[in-house]
Amino acid sequence: MMPWQRQVIDVAMEIDPDTGRLAYREIGLTVPRQSGKTTLILATAVHRALGFGRRQNIRYAAQTRNDARQKWEDEHVVTLEASAFRKMFRVRKTNGNEAIIWRNGSQHGIVANTEKSGHGPTLDLAFVDEAFAQVDSRLEQAFKPAMVTRPSPQLWVVSTAGTD
């Protein structure tokens, strides 16, 4: 991790000493292009999938479903397949059902950014990447209710700067 990534992780993963749960339910992050967002997102997803003691449901969204699929497949999956984690998961690439499925049952999949997307299973962790490109807050409106019953949910809204 670069120093800025370590600082973000240190703050985002703070534990509330009174509850023993994550202190922050929503993380907003804006950094310049090519600064290491993908690495940070992937590391956070893997930590969540393996480090929270029970099956976790993780979703990743980007500008469009195709952008999310491309980033997920070309960066997340490829990086994990070349890592020490490679024997701890399998990949399902069925269109509309994509997921990295960990041995413990955690799933790291993608979601589209349409009006009906994200209104499905309970979520533990969700990423809205390249948030500047979202037309409205539909993903946040879908993800937040899907997290309400989870003990330490987090929604990460990550982006580079966009236009007005």
Side-chain angles (χ1 to χ4, degrees):
M1 293 266 161
M2 291 182 271
W4 78 264
Q5 292 168 316
R6 172 50 61 213
Q7 181 179 5
V8 169
I9 289 295
D10 286 347
V11 173
M13 296 297 156
E14 284 182 15
I15 302 294
D16 180 336
D18 294 332
T19 65
R21 297 179 177 179
L22 292 175
Y24 304 106
R25 293 176 71 90
E26 188 165 345
I27 307 299
L29 176 64
T30 303
V31 295
R33 293 186 49 76
Q34 303 300 312
S35 292
K37 287 188 288 107
T38 301
T39 301
L40 180 65
I41 288 169
L42 182 57
T44 303
V46 171
H47 176 260
R48 186 63 183 235
L50 300 177
F52 275 67
R54 59 189 253 194
R55 175 190 160 138
Q56 301 291 298
N57 198 6
I58 302 157
R59 291 294 178 267
Y60 173 81
Q63 303 94 310
T64 66
R65 185 186 188 294
N66 286 340
D67 290 317
R69 167 92 190 230
Q70 183 176 0
K71 180 68 77 169
W72 175 85
E73 192 169 351
D74 295 349
E75 300 285 338
H76 298 195
V77 172
V78 168
T79 300
L80 287 172
E81 286 177 336
S83 77
F85 295 109
R86 69 185 168 277
K87 294 183 180 180
M88 298 177 68
F89 65 90
R90 67 182 174 85
V91 178
R92 182 176 61 209
K93 293 184 180 178
T94 307
N95 197 26
N97 240 345
E98 301 90 337
I100 297 166
I101 304 169
W102 295 89
R103 275 195 214 152
N104 68 357
S106 291
Q107 292 189 16
H108 170 180
I110 63 171
V111 68
N113 63 343
T114 63
E115 286 185 44
K116 294 181 181 178
S117 296
H119 295 276
T122 303
L123 293 176
D124 297 287
L125 175 64
F127 298 97
V128 178
D129 194 6
E130 301 299 359
F132 78 90
Q134 299 300 318
V135 297
D136 55 25
S137 59
R138 65 183 63 170
L139 287 173
E140 290 171 284
Q141 291 173 351
F143 290 158
K144 286 182 178 182
M147 296 175 158
V148 76
T149 62
R150 304 307 289 164
S152 283
Q154 280 192 328
L155 171 62
W156 285 63
V157 179
V158 181
S159 192
T160 189
T163 62
D164 289 344

